[in-house]
């Protein structure tokens, strides 16, 4: 309904562009007063030049007449009777262009503006899919396959995304985006189709995601999909580390919040060392030791004795924990040493 109102407004403006020049008829001449003065001056000078009694003044009259003629030549031509018709025709052409462009661009974009960013992006991806698919199938170029795959993936057309990214990897097997997205699609294909995939297929799909994360370790989506993949294989600690890294790389990303919460709860229940860490350290150093207010404990190079001393007595902004039980301290130090060996 709103789009129809917008089109009506555009058409009314177009009609005004056509009708107004015709209604006014002869177009106004903005230089009319100046033009009339110069014409009158020219005619008066010509009359004086034609009079025999003015022979003595002829050189002066001729100079003045020449200046008047140059001034007339410098004015824009006066609109003729056909000026209104020409402007109306121009208005008709302009109106047709405006209406046509609005029909295919302004109205769709105005409609998309009522959607949120993700919905609008999905709609645009769906609309572009046929053209992108045709271009990729014709050119068989890597860039066109990747563009088709992105549009298909973003719009939820996963069968097309599988085909597009598969073809792109045949041309260049070291493309992180294609690797991780193809891997996660293969890994979750059973949920999409209702057909169970084999253990071998799951392992191969996970390998694609892992490879992508190795090729692009600082890409947020690499860590996000790696975290989901590791969680599916029961590797909760590594999954949490990948998802925490995703949150560090993309602070506004909320895609993994529920899984992160579930993994934290699962790990704290099953690992007493993580329970100690969660109670005393996680608020500053991050739930998985990756850093927060305090530095990353995974990147730390401190010895076991140095760590124990800092935990007991504090250092800088870090508070001391003198009342920590010896058994809990041992569990915590074992955990921190394991993280140091695993690294970031």
């Amino acid at each position: 309904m709103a789009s129809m109102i917008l089109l009506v407004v555009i058409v009314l403006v177009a009609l005004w562009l056509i009708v107004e020049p015709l209604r006014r008829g002869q177009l106004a001449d903005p230089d009319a007063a100046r033009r009339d003065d110069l014409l009158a001056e020219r005619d008066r000078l010509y009359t004086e030049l034609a009079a025999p009694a003015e022979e003595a003044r002829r050189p002066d009259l001729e100079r003045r007449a020449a200046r008047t003629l140059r001034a007339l030549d410098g004015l824009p031509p006066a609109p003729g009777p056909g000026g209104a018709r020409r402007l109306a025709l121009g208005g008709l052409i302009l109106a047709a262009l405006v209406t046509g462009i609005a029909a295919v661009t302004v109205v769709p974009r105005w409609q998309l503006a009522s959607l949120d960013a993700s919905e609008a992006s999905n709609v645009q991806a769906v609309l572009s899919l046929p053209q992108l698919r045709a271009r990729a199938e014709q050119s068989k170029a890597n860039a066109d396959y990747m563009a088709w795959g992105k549009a298909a993936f973003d719009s939820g057309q996963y069968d097309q995304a599988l085909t597009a990214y598969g073809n792109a990897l045949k041309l260049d097997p070291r493309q992180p985006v294609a690797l991780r997205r193809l891997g996660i699609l293969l890994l979750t294909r059973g949920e999409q189709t209702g057909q169970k995939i084999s253990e071998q297929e799951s392992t191969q799909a996970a390998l694609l995601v892992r490879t992508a994360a190795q090729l692009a370790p600082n890409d947020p989506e690499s860590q996000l999909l790696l975290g989901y993949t590791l969680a599916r294989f029961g590797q909760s600690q590594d999954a949490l580390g990948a998802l925490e890294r995703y949150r560090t790389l993309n602070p506004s990303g909320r895609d993994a919040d529920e899984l992160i919460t579930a993994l934290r709860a699962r790990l704290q229940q099953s690992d007493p060392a993580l329970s100690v860490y969660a109670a005393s350290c996680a608020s500053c150093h991050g739930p998985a030791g990756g850093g927060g207010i305090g530095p990353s404990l995974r990147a730390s190079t401190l010895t076991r004795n140095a760590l124990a001393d800092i935990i007991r007595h504090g250092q800088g902004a870090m508070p001391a924990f003198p009342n920590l039980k010896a058994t809990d301290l041992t569990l915590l130090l074992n955990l921190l040493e394991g993280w140091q060996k695993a690294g970031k």
Side-chain angles (χ1 to χ4, degrees):
M1 181 64 183
S3 60
M4 291 298 298
I5 295 174
L6 183 59
L7 274 177
V8 168
V9 171
I10 293 173
V11 170
L12 290 175
V13 172
L15 288 174
W16 180 84
L17 289 172
I18 298 168
V19 172
E20 180 62 14
L22 294 175
R23 184 186 66 80
R24 289 163 55 190
Q26 177 73 27
L27 295 179
D29 180 6
D31 300 303
R34 174 65 173 159
R35 192 186 312 278
D36 290 343
D37 290 343
L38 289 172
L39 288 173
E41 177 69 7
R42 182 199 63 184
D43 293 342
R44 186 181 64 77
L45 290 169
Y46 281 175
T47 300
E48 292 185 16
L49 284 169
E54 300 293 337
E55 282 299 326
R57 297 177 55 215
R58 178 173 293 276
D60 179 59
L61 293 173
E62 288 177 347
R63 284 193 298 271
R64 291 165 57 189
R67 286 198 300 268
T68 302
L69 291 174
R70 283 197 298 271
L72 279 170
D73 290 340
L75 293 176
R85 289 192 295 273
R86 286 194 298 272
L87 185 57
L89 179 59
L92 177 61
I93 295 172
L94 179 61
L97 287 173
V98 169
T99 304
I101 292 172
V104 299
T105 59
V106 176
V107 173
R109 288 180 184 176
W110 183 84
Q111 290 174 325
L112 288 176
S114 64
L115 305 175
D116 62 37
S118 61
E119 291 174 334
S121 178
N122 288 343
V123 170
Q124 290 174 325
V126 171
L127 293 175
S128 65
L129 263 181
Q131 180 182 0
L132 293 174
R133 178 176 183 174
R135 183 186 303 166
E137 291 176 341
Q138 181 178 8
S139 70
K140 302 191 182 305
N142 180 68
D144 290 337
Y145 280 129
M146 292 297 292
W148 174 26
K150 181 181 185 307
F153 189 90
D154 291 346
S155 60
Q157 304 297 313
Y158 297 128
D159 287 341
Q160 291 192 46
L162 280 168
T163 302
Y165 285 134
N167 285 325
L169 289 173
K170 290 178 184 177
L171 298 172
D172 180 2
R174 293 179 61 82
Q175 300 183 83
V177 174
L179 282 168
R180 64 181 178 247
R181 291 187 171 187
L182 184 63
I184 202 69
L185 288 174
L186 291 173
L187 191 62
T188 59
R189 184 171 54 182
E191 300 169 6
Q192 300 165 22
T193 63
Q195 299 176 352
K196 186 176 180 180
I197 63 173
S198 67
E199 183 177 347
Q200 182 180 3
E201 289 174 326
S202 296
T203 302
Q204 290 174 342
L207 180 60
L208 294 176
V209 179
R210 289 175 181 270
T211 303
Q214 292 172 353
L215 290 173
N218 294 324
D219 187 294
E221 189 180 76
S222 284
Q223 297 301 321
L224 175 65
L225 297 187
L226 176 62
Y228 275 115
T229 300
L230 293 172
R232 290 177 71 92
F233 282 83
Q235 300 176 38
S236 300
Q237 184 62 61
D238 291 337
L240 182 59
L243 294 176
E244 288 291 344
R245 181 159 173 74
Y246 160 71
R247 289 289 302 276
T248 300
L249 294 169
N250 181 21
S252 62
R254 318 307 302 180
D255 312 76
D257 283 3
E258 290 185 8
L259 181 55
I260 288 174
T261 301
L263 288 172
R264 287 174 183 169
R266 185 188 309 166
L267 288 168
Q268 290 173 19
Q269 291 172 0
S270 61
D271 190 335
L274 282 172
S275 297
V276 175
Y277 177 82
S280 304
C281 315
S283 60
C284 291
H285 296 281
I293 300 173
S296 170
L297 298 175
R298 293 176 175 270
S300 172
T301 57
L302 294 173
T303 66
R304 185 181 181 93
N305 288 337
L307 287 169
D309 184 67
I310 293 173
I311 293 171
R312 285 294 192 193
H313 304 100
Q315 186 180 76
M318 177 174 164
F321 292 88
N323 299 321
L324 193 65
K325 294 179 181 178
T327 54
D328 289 346
L329 178 60
T330 300
L331 288 171
L332 187 55
L333 291 173
N334 290 340
L335 176 66
L336 297 181
E337 283 188 328
W339 281 352
Q340 286 178 340
K341 292 176 182 178
K344 298 180 181 180

